[in-house]
Amino acid sequence: MSTEYGPLAVWGVVVALGLATFGIRASFIHLFGRVDDVPDRATNALRFVPPAVFAALVAPAFVAPEGAIAVVGNERLLAGVVAAGVTWYLDDVFATIVAGMATLWLLRFGI
């Protein structure tokens, strides 16, 4: 894929974004290193960061595996729903993986 930007401009953007990302992360480390007690509102809000990031990474693979939203005929979505149901009732990681993969294999290969 060719662009009208030269390599210096592209590398400049990469370095600038890397420095910005590093600065944001370093500011939180610096901030929480200086604050003795983290406010309860911040602690409660930070509890939801890992599940939100995980959902943002996983949901597109379930809902749009080919790049477009597909609900009908989407075996990954159905396997994910089955795995979510198993995890809701059993709260067991191994059982969730087994149920999700078994459902996916049954739908995909018709075993």
Side-chain angles (χ1 to χ4, degrees):
M1 176 171 104
S2 64
T3 63
E4 58 191 51
Y5 302 108
L8 185 61
V10 172
W11 278 108
V13 169
V14 169
V15 169
L17 290 176
L19 289 173
T21 302
F22 178 77
I24 291 170
R25 292 180 184 198
S27 68
F28 277 103
I29 292 170
H30 181 70
L31 174 69
F32 284 123
R34 290 182 169 268
V35 175
D36 291 332
D37 287 328
V38 178
D40 288 337
R41 286 183 69 177
T43 304
N44 290 336
L46 289 174
R47 284 185 323 135
F48 296 107
V49 171
V53 169
F54 182 69
L57 292 173
V58 170
F62 284 139
V63 179
E66 303 295 326
I69 294 177
V71 177
V72 178
N74 186 352
E75 66 266 356
R76 288 183 184 180
L77 181 61
L78 185 57
V81 169
V82 169
V86 168
T87 227
W88 182 270
Y89 287 110
L90 296 181
D91 198 23
D92 183 17
V93 174
F94 185 70
T96 301
I97 293 170
V98 169
M101 288 306 298
T103 304
L104 183 64
W105 286 345
L106 282 171
L107 292 172
R108 186 167 286 180
F109 302 119
I111 298 173

